[in-house]
Amino acid sequence: MLRALSADGGGSRFNPLVVVELASNTKEEAIAWLLSRIRDTQQNGGAELLVEQLGPGVDAQEKENPNMFLVGATWQRLLSGAEDVGLFREFHDGSMRGFTCANKHNFKDFKGDGDSFLSMAECQYIIKHELDTLRAKDETHVPGYNQVKLYPGKSIIRRLLSKGILIQVFPLHEKEELKRLSFSWYQKVKLSFQPLDDIRHYYGEGQALYFGFLEYFTFALVPMALIGVPYYLFDWENYDKYVIFAAFNLVWCTVILELWKRGSASLAFRWGTLSRKKAFEEPRPGFHGVLGFNPVTGREEPLYPNTKRQLRVYLVSLPFVLLCLYLSLYIMMIYFLMEGWVLSAHNAEPTFWTGILCFIPSIIYAVVIEIMNLIYRYAAEFLTEWENHRLESSYQNHLVLKVLVSLATLLITSQILNQLMEAFLPYWLQRRRNKKMIRKVQKRKTLEDKELPLADQVRLEADMSTYLGTFDDYLELFLLFGYVSLFSCVYPLAAVLVVLNNITEVYSDAFKMCRVFKRPFSDPAANIGVWQLAFEAMSVIAVVTNCSLIGMSPQVKAYFLDSDTQLILWTVAVEHGLLAFKFILTFLIPDVPKHIQINLARLEFESLEALKKKKMLEASEVSKTVQ
Amino acid sequence: MLRALSADGGGSRFNPLVVVELASNTKEEAIAWLLSRIRDTQQNGGAELLVEQLGPGVDAQEKENPNMFLVGATWQRLLSGAEDVGLFREFHDGSMRGFTCANKHNFKDFKGDGDSFLSMAECQYIIKHELDTLRAKDETHVPGYNQVKLYPGKSIIRRLLSKGILIQVFPLHEKEELKRLSFSWYQKVKLSFQPLDDIRHYYGEGQALYFGFLEYFTFALVPMALIGVPYYLFDWENYDKYVIFAAFNLVWCTVILELWKRGSASLAFRWGTLSRKKAFEEPRPGFHGVLGFNPVTGREEPLYPNTKRQLRVYLVSLPFVLLCLYLSLYIMMIYFLMEGWVLSAHNAEPTFWTGILCFIPSIIYAVVIEIMNLIYRYAAEFLTEWENHRLESSYQNHLVLKVLVSLATLLITSQILNQLMEAFLPYWLQRRRNKKMIRKVQKRKTLEDKELPLADQVRLEADMSTYLGTFDDYLELFLLFGYVSLFSCVYPLAAVLVVLNNITEVYSDAFKMCRVFKRPFSDPAANIGVWQLAFEAMSVIAVVTNCSLIGMSPQVKAYFLDSDTQLILWTVAVEHGLLAFKFILTFLIPDVPKHIQINLARLEFESLEALKKKKMLEASEVSKTVQ
């Protein structure tokens, strides 16, 4: 019944890009309404996209969901969509400009009728944007569902999603391209840089920036690793040189973070996201409030008073986080006490069993911490959801903040234990996770390698796990950075281990992106966002921990035998000096390379000049008319 | 000969706004050429302004400069100029928008033919902008001066100014308006806020922001002053309470600086400078280099390699500043030594003469410091000039940085002396300066109060001293802020003295703006620029000095009798806590008030929407044409 193709798209030309999966028990009238809204012309407030129902699979099963739809679009529609989302591409003169259909032929890669101008990831992003901005007109509710209210301007897809009628919207993989990408990315054995441009082409800028950062971070740690090895091998007990090593590390951490800002600006400039004007950000699907008029857009949408949110943040979330911090410190104290008892018991009567007993507190502590961490993570997500942030970005910021506050404590805690085992704990946990994942994939692999018909391929992908964004990936890198920077002076091998880990990390992350997860929608990011701030904050804390660790070391104390005061004053002075140096360095290194600054300035200058010229032309025309 | 009025301006309608003074020996052909270029139409690359030569004064003297010219413009020209400079004004719907002639009638204050729409300060700014952007076409040199080279695109006024042919360009005072302003500003006796909007109307945004900051700063210090007085009167020796007082001061300093950012954003928003797009910044008149093409504008102009400038900054200026710092610390040490000798001599045989001798080192030190400061200031200006910065703004930044580095040292120096006399030294110096100024004015006052004919009035103003910008005014406030914040814990009366000083400062500054100086060109500033950063840096240093002063105090030491180490560790911990709190506070308080954020977002949203709608219309027109 709904199988009919869109009026202006022949069956052979239809190129499915995005899958829309509705609940299997969705009412017919709601489906018919949704499809007609998606197909309707833009003048009528529709999305003007092509939709087709997915047929049953070859070995169709009873429980198969019939309500899966493939969405595509004509090239003209995609190009006008590219203009809507504000895509930046290289102009024929080498500068980056906002794409417009009117002068499409002046863009460098626009050839013929432009059907290879947009990457598939971009097309899918455009379709997602057009679906997201498909708004209710005068409908008061979704047909067939009186309780699912709509109001003029409400995003239809978001409402269906938040009410569970729409299960998921996801982009399709492109098997050929994926095969090529995965070959050049992780199946080739030869040592080389990652194909960042290809990754960006397939997964979008957000993903490519993550892998770019991972690669940059790995290379940036190599000098620290190289210097760390001889320290570990020869001079373990010589703290003189450790001071120099630690000072080098601190400065190096600052420099690499600053240089990454420049590197990421270069990448984002090349990919056109640096100067892209963001469209007005929509509320998150989970955001709720009383209906009112948005003061910016004038559209009717839920409003939630800022003061109420602030109260929730400062009166509930903040005390909760502080309480958890206190609790984790308290548990650490208990652990120390336990270890003290066990050790004294072992020293009093050393037997095999007391020897084993010595490990018990560490094991209990590790388990408790892992469980607490898990619980805390859920609580943090719940609280951040409850705080009811309007924007996805501010939701992410608050979540990252909460998780990091707890992790910084854990990090310091677990490093005070500073046994090799504990240092390897997260590494080992991650390995385990990877292994689990690989096993899960192996099962599916046999299925995947066969050339499946479209219907089965789509159903297979719909069944794959959803990639939940780069949060956990960045978190892992952040923890590793913490190990390297916070305790570099007592643990010179950290950088080596992290470099080794990162090399496998690239392969396992690439593997999971290509084989384990549904393809994610591309995210036109210009930088790594709140994580840059988190890494920088960590490098500030690192100055404090390193200075105090060096100050506490017996070798340094030996220099100040007669006066503890002198020692501490020197330590504090050095720390303040390093901090000041760090801030000055951050200030002195420009965030955007000079040639990109010039390029951006040129674009702005030209648009100002064009505006002036236009005005002048208008004025002279007016004067002609008057004459 | 050159007296003739511009073709389209009748003698009675000509309203002189700006004075252009050429050297008295300027060649006739150069004058004729300049005037014709200023009068020429914009289509021909001229400025399309009205120029008239100033006639001789009533009691004309021999040495009078004949080459003074009055510049004005028609209303139409001023309105189109307002569009050129990107003026923002209130729209009829209450939002701030860039002024355009096309929809001039939709602006709130535009009435009739709009001849009261622009303030005189704005008109003068527009004329200055049009004169500055008057560029050479195909002239290779200034007529009559073969050595004064020109190239296409070079600003004529800047070249004449840098070669000394053009002596000065300055805006005229408006006697009636000035009288009204000065009455409401400083002649009324009743206590009230300053008429900031009127100040902005007459002097422009940069000046108004300075006076706004001065007023805000004074009011912000009142709580500290009120708390400081009882501390001074009753509890001079009780350090317990001083710790609380100092902690309050530190947090308060952070809060007032953050709130000022919001306050200044509110003012700048109301005045339309917050969202104003800056035109491409021109090189400073003193900037020199090899001719080349600007990579941004494509115009021919001098270029100077960035690396060369960096070398000058880091290899010459930086070592010089550090050397001066070292020198000033060295002199301080000598001072301490001298005072030690004198005191021991006085204690050995106290007579009247040794009593007087005790003051000698302080006096010598104060004089030496004042002289050194003067020399350093000249050296800093010379070096910054020599560094050859392309932009006025980066010149200012480097100059402020150099002067402040020296001053911060002086401040700490002079407060370590911490005698009341020394604390009053800059205050006293400033008083002296004010008195000098008032005397200078009194002489002129008799002249001024008479109604003079235009020619004499212009010559009188041309003779007044030039106001060199807000640098020294901000510097004074910065020093006062330093006294209050750096040593608040040992000198609780500082805030009181600064509040008292500021109240007189408002009057004396207002007086000098209205009566002593030439009217300055208005400067459409959106904030107080690099000074915000300087004040914030000072408040960070204040945390360090206050914590160490409290830590060193005998009363606090008494708590930690058994262990110096404990004392220092506590002090450092408190200091780190305060610093962290400061940064978090800075981060948490948004720089721009919510309602202004919304207003700015709405403007951006509407322009994006308008763009989209325009594109859609174009597309539908194209499709109609095709059909």
Side-chain angles (χ1 to χ4, degrees):
Chain A
M1 171 208 76
L2 289 162
R3 195 72 203 279
L5 285 176
S6 168
D8 50 348
S12 59
R13 282 178 52 224
F14 181 76
N15 186 15
L17 290 165
V18 172
V19 178
V20 172
E21 182 176 4
L22 295 169
S24 56
N25 58 356
T26 310
K27 295 191 180 140
E28 289 284 314
E29 50 198 306
I31 298 177
W33 167 76
L34 177 64
L35 295 191
S36 76
R37 287 305 312 277
I38 293 177
R39 285 174 184 149
D40 207 356
T41 59
Q42 282 187 288
Q43 272 93 336
N44 289 336
E48 212 167 331
L49 300 174
L50 313 176
V51 199
E52 195 182 347
Q53 190 165 21
L54 186 73
V58 176
D59 43 353
Q61 291 154 335
E62 270 306 295
K63 56 176 185 168
E64 224 171 38
N65 183 358
N67 292 330
M68 295 184 78
F69 300 89
L70 300 173
V71 183
T74 61
W75 273 114
Q76 284 69 35
R77 181 70 190 91
L78 287 174
L79 289 179
S80 83
E83 197 176 324
D84 287 353
V85 299
L87 212 69
F88 264 65
R89 295 300 287 268
E90 196 175 351
F91 209 58
H92 65 76
D93 64 353
S95 66
M96 303 296 300
R97 288 177 194 232
F99 177 77
T100 55
C101 292
N103 58 356
K104 57 188 175 187
H105 290 290
N106 289 327
F107 284 84
K108 204 181 153 200
D109 299 323
F110 198 93
K111 281 168 193 107
D113 60 347
D115 56 359
S116 62
F117 181 66
L118 298 172
S119 72
M120 187 168 167
E122 280 167 338
C123 294
Q124 289 168 334
Y125 176 75
I126 289 165
I127 287 185
K128 175 169 182 284
H129 176 261
E130 299 298 341
L131 286 176
D132 272 350
T133 52
L134 181 63
R135 294 174 190 292
K137 289 188 295 187
D138 38 14
E139 298 96 336
T140 53
H141 58 84
V142 173
Y145 295 88
N146 283 326
Q147 79 285 12
V148 182
K149 296 269 179 280
L150 287 173
Y151 45 84
K154 172 71 191 172
S155 162
I156 291 170
I157 295 291
R158 276 157 190 273
R159 175 45 53 99
L160 293 177
L161 210 54
S162 67
K163 291 295 176 187
I165 299 171
L166 184 60
I167 296 175
Q168 58 179 351
V169 178
F170 66 91
L172 278 170
H173 271 298
E174 219 286 284
K175 288 208 107 183
E176 276 313 303
E177 209 183 325
L178 184 62
K179 212 173 264 173
R180 273 199 304 278
L181 174 66
S182 61
F183 178 74
S184 69
W185 198 0
Y186 64 91
Q187 289 178 342
K188 250 189 327 192
V189 194
K190 83 165 201 246
L191 214 75
S192 64
F193 293 105
Q194 294 176 84
L196 285 187
D197 284 322
D198 295 341
I199 298 170
R200 177 241 169 183
H201 193 261
Y202 194 82
Y203 288 109
E205 289 79 13
Q207 281 301 319
L209 273 177
Y210 164 69
F211 283 103
F213 182 66
L214 176 57
E215 183 176 288
Y216 172 83
F217 183 51
T218 310
F219 280 104
L221 287 183
V222 167
M224 279 165 74
L226 288 183
I227 301 178
V229 171
Y231 270 97
Y232 178 70
L233 292 180
F234 307 121
D235 285 313
W236 184 252
E237 291 298 317
N238 186 341
Y239 264 85
D240 284 14
K241 290 173 187 163
Y242 270 101
V243 175
I244 300 169
F245 179 58
F248 167 75
N249 276 5
L250 294 177
V251 173
W252 188 242
C253 284
T254 311
V255 170
I256 62 176
L257 288 178
E258 280 305 301
L259 291 185
W260 166 251
K261 267 192 235 165
R262 293 165 66 88
S264 113
S266 293
L267 287 176
F269 177 74
R270 180 147 52 98
W271 295 337
T273 51
L274 191 65
S275 34
R276 182 172 169 268
K277 287 266 177 301
K278 257 203 180 161
F280 184 74
E281 215 177 333
E282 291 286 321
R284 314 177 47 233
F287 176 69
H288 58 88
V290 191
L291 263 195
F293 293 96
N294 183 306
V296 175
T297 59
R299 283 184 198 136
E300 208 175 8
E301 68 168 43
L303 297 180
Y304 189 78
N306 206 21
T307 46
K308 239 171 159 175
R309 187 179 307 120
Q310 300 262 335
L311 284 180
R312 288 185 173 187
V313 171
Y314 290 112
L315 294 187
V316 180
S317 298
L318 185 67
F320 174 77
V321 171
L322 292 179
L323 189 77
C324 288
L325 265 182
Y326 175 77
L327 210 68
S328 75
L329 290 175
Y330 194 77
I331 289 177
M332 189 176 72
M333 288 299 150
I334 294 177
Y335 161 72
F336 280 136
L337 233 74
M338 273 166 58
E339 195 155 77
W341 288 337
V342 169
L343 273 179
S344 61
H346 180 65
N347 288 340
E349 277 180 75
T351 68
F352 172 71
W353 293 108
T354 55
I356 284 181
L357 203 67
C358 283
F359 288 102
I360 301 283
S362 297
I363 292 168
I364 294 179
Y365 181 65
V367 170
V368 167
I369 283 294
E370 184 78 355
I371 292 172
M372 271 186 61
N373 200 15
L374 217 68
I375 296 173
Y376 179 78
R377 181 74 180 270
Y378 276 107
E381 268 173 38
F382 173 79
L383 277 177
T384 317
E385 186 69 51
W386 178 71
E387 281 161 23
N388 196 16
H389 293 278
R390 187 176 170 280
L391 301 181
E392 186 62 34
S393 53
S394 84
Y395 171 84
Q396 286 295 340
N397 286 354
H398 279 259
L399 183 61
V400 168
L401 193 70
K402 285 196 190 62
V403 174
L404 291 197
V405 163
S406 125
L407 276 172
T409 327
L410 269 189
L411 210 63
I412 294 171
T413 312
S414 76
Q415 269 291 338
I416 286 174
L417 311 179
N418 202 14
Q419 315 294 350
L420 221 66
M421 201 196 83
E422 272 84 5
F424 272 110
L425 187 67
Y427 180 78
W428 172 75
L429 286 172
Q430 178 224 320
R431 293 290 87 174
R432 203 193 47 185
R433 251 183 281 137
N434 284 356
K435 266 190 203 134
K436 231 195 256 170
M437 195 197 304
I438 290 169
R439 246 178 287 141
K440 206 167 153 193
V441 171
Q442 231 96 42
K443 266 195 278 177
R444 191 177 286 141
K445 210 175 175 181
T446 45
L447 257 174
E448 260 182 20
D449 276 350
K450 283 189 283 183
E451 266 306 322
L452 291 174
L454 182 67
D456 290 302
Q457 177 64 30
V458 170
R459 279 172 210 282
L460 185 77
E461 286 186 26
D463 207 36
M464 286 163 92
S465 6
T466 305
Y467 181 66
L468 290 171
T470 44
F471 186 94
D472 283 287
D473 296 323
Y474 277 118
L475 193 57
E476 239 177 89
L477 288 188
F478 179 75
L479 284 179
L480 293 174
F481 182 69
Y483 282 108
V484 175
S485 62
L486 284 187
F487 307 100
S488 55
C489 67
V490 291
Y491 196 45
L493 224 51
V496 181
L497 296 176
V498 170
V499 167
L500 292 178
N501 171 72
N502 278 7
I503 292 172
T504 60
E505 183 82 28
V506 168
Y507 286 95
S508 70
D509 278 357
F511 181 76
K512 83 179 181 200
M513 284 308 300
C514 293
R515 307 301 284 272
V516 183
F517 290 120
K518 277 191 201 89
R519 184 174 187 170
F521 276 110
S522 94
D523 156 32
N527 49 52
I528 62 174
V530 67
W531 290 103
Q532 180 82 38
L533 202 69
F535 276 77
E536 279 167 13
M538 177 67 92
S539 77
V540 171
I541 298 173
V543 173
V544 181
T545 56
N546 275 296
C547 285
S548 52
L549 281 175
I550 289 176
M552 283 192 292
S553 72
Q555 287 83 350
V556 172
K557 272 187 177 162
Y559 279 100
F560 295 92
L561 267 182
D562 42 344
S563 162
D564 260 8
T565 318
Q566 282 287 318
L567 165 66
I568 300 176
L569 285 181
W570 269 104
T571 310
V572 171
V574 167
E575 186 227 3
H576 278 67
L578 278 172
L579 281 178
F581 183 67
K582 235 182 106 64
F583 279 105
I584 292 172
L585 212 61
T586 311
F587 193 77
L588 281 186
I589 302 177
D591 287 357
V592 177
K594 190 84 186 171
H595 70 278
I596 293 179
Q597 277 177 30
I598 288 177
N599 215 314
L600 294 179
R602 189 169 64 198
L603 189 67
E604 198 166 340
F605 173 76
E606 279 174 12
S607 61
L608 277 176
E609 287 293 295
L611 196 73
K612 267 188 208 164
K613 238 171 236 162
K614 205 183 119 221
K615 298 282 172 194
M616 236 185 250
L617 279 176
E618 281 172 9
S620 67
E621 268 165 33
V622 167
S623 66
K624 268 178 212 159
T625 323
V626 171
Q627 284 165 4
Chain B
M1 173 210 78
L2 288 162
R3 196 70 204 279
L5 284 177
S6 166
D8 50 348
S12 59
R13 282 178 51 224
F14 181 76
N15 185 14
L17 291 165
V18 172
V19 178
V20 172
E21 182 177 3
L22 296 169
S24 57
N25 58 355
T26 310
K27 294 188 181 144
E28 289 283 313
E29 49 197 305
I31 298 177
W33 166 76
L34 177 64
L35 295 192
S36 75
R37 286 304 313 277
I38 293 178
R39 284 174 184 148
D40 208 356
T41 59
Q42 282 187 288
Q43 273 93 335
N44 289 337
E48 212 167 333
L49 299 175
L50 313 177
V51 198
E52 194 181 349
Q53 190 167 23
L54 186 72
V58 176
D59 43 353
Q61 292 153 334
E62 270 305 296
K63 55 175 186 170
E64 227 171 35
N65 183 357
N67 292 330
M68 294 184 79
F69 299 89
L70 299 173
V71 183
T74 62
W75 273 114
Q76 284 69 35
R77 181 69 191 90
L78 286 173
L79 289 179
S80 82
E83 197 175 325
D84 288 352
V85 299
L87 212 70
F88 263 66
R89 295 299 287 268
E90 197 175 349
F91 210 57
H92 64 76
D93 64 354
S95 66
M96 303 296 300
R97 289 178 193 230
F99 176 77
T100 55
C101 292
N103 59 356
K104 57 188 176 187
H105 290 290
N106 289 327
F107 284 84
K108 204 180 154 199
D109 298 323
F110 198 93
K111 281 168 191 106
D113 59 349
D115 57 358
S116 64
F117 182 65
L118 298 171
S119 72
M120 188 168 166
E122 281 167 338
C123 294
Q124 288 167 336
Y125 176 74
I126 290 165
I127 287 185
K128 174 169 182 285
H129 175 262
E130 299 298 340
L131 286 177
D132 273 350
T133 52
L134 181 63
R135 294 173 190 292
K137 290 188 294 189
D138 39 15
E139 299 96 335
T140 54
H141 58 85
V142 174
Y145 295 87
N146 284 327
Q147 80 284 12
V148 182
K149 297 266 180 283
L150 288 173
Y151 45 85
K154 173 69 190 174
S155 162
I156 292 170
I157 295 292
R158 275 156 190 273
R159 177 45 52 98
L160 293 178
L161 209 53
S162 66
K163 292 295 176 186
I165 299 171
L166 184 61
I167 296 175
Q168 58 179 350
V169 178
F170 66 91
L172 277 170
H173 271 297
E174 220 286 285
K175 288 208 105 181
E176 276 313 303
E177 209 182 326
L178 184 61
K179 212 173 263 173
R180 273 200 304 278
L181 174 66
S182 61
F183 178 73
S184 68
W185 198 359
Y186 64 89
Q187 289 179 341
K188 250 189 327 190
V189 194
K190 82 163 201 240
L191 216 74
S192 65
F193 294 105
Q194 294 174 84
L196 285 186
D197 285 321
D198 295 341
I199 298 171
R200 177 241 169 183
H201 194 262
Y202 194 82
Y203 286 109
E205 290 79 13
Q207 280 301 319
L209 274 177
Y210 165 69
F211 283 102
F213 181 66
L214 175 56
E215 183 175 288
Y216 171 82
F217 183 52
T218 310
F219 280 105
L221 288 182
V222 166
M224 280 165 74
L226 288 183
I227 301 177
V229 170
Y231 271 96
Y232 177 71
L233 292 180
F234 307 121
D235 285 314
W236 183 253
E237 292 298 317
N238 185 341
Y239 264 84
D240 284 14
K241 290 175 186 162
Y242 270 101
V243 174
I244 301 169
F245 179 58
F248 167 76
N249 275 5
L250 294 176
V251 173
W252 187 242
C253 285
T254 312
V255 170
I256 62 175
L257 287 178
E258 281 305 301
L259 292 186
W260 165 251
K261 267 192 233 163
R262 295 165 65 89
S264 114
S266 294
L267 287 177
F269 177 74
R270 180 146 53 98
W271 295 336
T273 51
L274 191 65
S275 34
R276 183 171 169 269
K277 289 263 177 301
K278 255 202 182 164
F280 183 74
E281 216 177 334
E282 291 285 320
R284 315 176 49 231
F287 176 69
H288 58 87
V290 192
L291 262 196
F293 292 97
N294 183 305
V296 175
T297 59
R299 282 184 200 137
E300 209 175 8
E301 67 168 44
L303 297 180
Y304 189 78
N306 205 22
T307 46
K308 240 170 158 176
R309 188 179 306 121
Q310 299 262 334
L311 284 181
R312 288 185 173 186
V313 171
Y314 290 112
L315 295 187
V316 180
S317 297
L318 184 67
F320 174 77
V321 171
L322 292 179
L323 188 78
C324 286
L325 266 181
Y326 174 77
L327 209 70
S328 75
L329 289 175
Y330 194 78
I331 288 177
M332 189 176 71
M333 288 299 151
I334 293 177
Y335 162 72
F336 280 136
L337 234 75
M338 272 166 61
E339 195 155 79
W341 289 337
V342 169
L343 274 178
S344 61
H346 180 64
N347 289 339
E349 278 178 74
T351 67
F352 173 71
W353 293 109
T354 55
I356 285 182
L357 203 67
C358 284
F359 287 103
I360 301 284
S362 297
I363 293 169
I364 293 179
Y365 182 65
V367 170
V368 168
I369 283 293
E370 182 79 357
I371 292 171
M372 272 186 59
N373 199 15
L374 216 70
I375 296 174
Y376 179 78
R377 181 75 181 269
Y378 276 109
E381 268 173 39
F382 173 80
L383 277 176
T384 316
E385 186 70 51
W386 178 70
E387 281 162 23
N388 197 15
H389 294 278
R390 187 176 169 280
L391 302 181
E392 186 61 33
S393 53
S394 83
Y395 172 84
Q396 285 294 342
N397 287 355
H398 279 258
L399 183 61
V400 168
L401 193 70
K402 284 195 190 64
V403 173
L404 291 197
V405 164
S406 124
L407 274 172
T409 326
L410 269 189
L411 210 61
I412 295 171
T413 312
S414 77
Q415 269 291 339
I416 287 175
L417 312 177
N418 202 13
Q419 316 292 351
L420 219 66
M421 201 196 85
E422 272 84 5
F424 272 111
L425 186 65
Y427 181 78
W428 173 73
L429 285 173
Q430 177 223 322
R431 293 290 87 176
R432 203 193 47 185
R433 252 182 280 138
N434 285 356
K435 266 189 203 136
K436 231 195 254 169
M437 195 197 306
I438 290 170
R439 245 178 288 138
K440 205 166 152 195
V441 169
Q442 231 94 43
K443 266 195 277 175
R444 191 179 286 141
K445 208 174 175 181
T446 45
L447 259 174
E448 259 180 22
D449 276 352
K450 282 188 283 181
E451 266 307 321
L452 290 175
L454 181 66
D456 290 302
Q457 177 64 32
V458 170
R459 279 173 211 282
L460 185 76
E461 286 185 25
D463 207 36
M464 285 162 94
S465 4
T466 305
Y467 181 65
L468 291 171
T470 44
F471 186 94
D472 283 286
D473 296 324
Y474 278 117
L475 192 57
E476 238 177 271
L477 287 190
F478 179 75
L479 284 178
L480 293 174
F481 181 69
Y483 282 107
V484 175
S485 62
L486 285 186
F487 307 100
S488 55
C489 68
V490 291
Y491 196 46
L493 223 51
V496 181
L497 296 176
V498 170
V499 167
L500 292 179
N501 172 73
N502 279 6
I503 293 173
T504 60
E505 183 83 26
V506 168
Y507 287 95
S508 70
D509 278 358
F511 181 76
K512 85 179 180 202
M513 284 306 301
C514 294
R515 308 303 282 272
V516 182
F517 289 119
K518 276 192 203 90
R519 184 174 187 169
F521 276 111
S522 94
D523 156 33
N527 49 51
I528 62 172
V530 66
W531 290 103
Q532 179 82 38
L533 201 70
F535 276 77
E536 280 168 13
M538 177 66 92
S539 77
V540 170
I541 298 173
V543 173
V544 181
T545 56
N546 275 296
C547 285
S548 52
L549 280 175
I550 290 176
M552 283 193 293
S553 70
Q555 287 84 350
V556 172
K557 272 187 177 162
Y559 279 100
F560 295 92
L561 265 183
D562 41 344
S563 162
D564 260 7
T565 318
Q566 282 288 319
L567 164 66
I568 299 176
L569 286 180
W570 268 105
T571 310
V572 171
V574 168
E575 185 226 4
H576 278 66
L578 278 172
L579 280 178
F581 183 67
K582 234 182 106 64
F583 280 105
I584 293 172
L585 212 61
T586 310
F587 193 77
L588 282 186
I589 302 177
D591 286 358
V592 177
K594 190 84 185 169
H595 70 277
I596 291 178
Q597 277 177 31
I598 288 176
N599 216 313
L600 293 178
R602 187 169 65 199
L603 189 66
E604 199 166 341
F605 174 77
E606 279 175 13
S607 62
L608 276 176
E609 287 293 294
L611 196 73
K612 267 189 207 163
K613 238 170 237 163
K614 206 183 118 220
K615 298 281 174 198
M616 236 185 248
L617 278 176
E618 279 172 10
S620 67
E621 266 167 35
V622 168
S623 66
K624 268 178 212 158
T625 324
V626 170
Q627 283 165 3

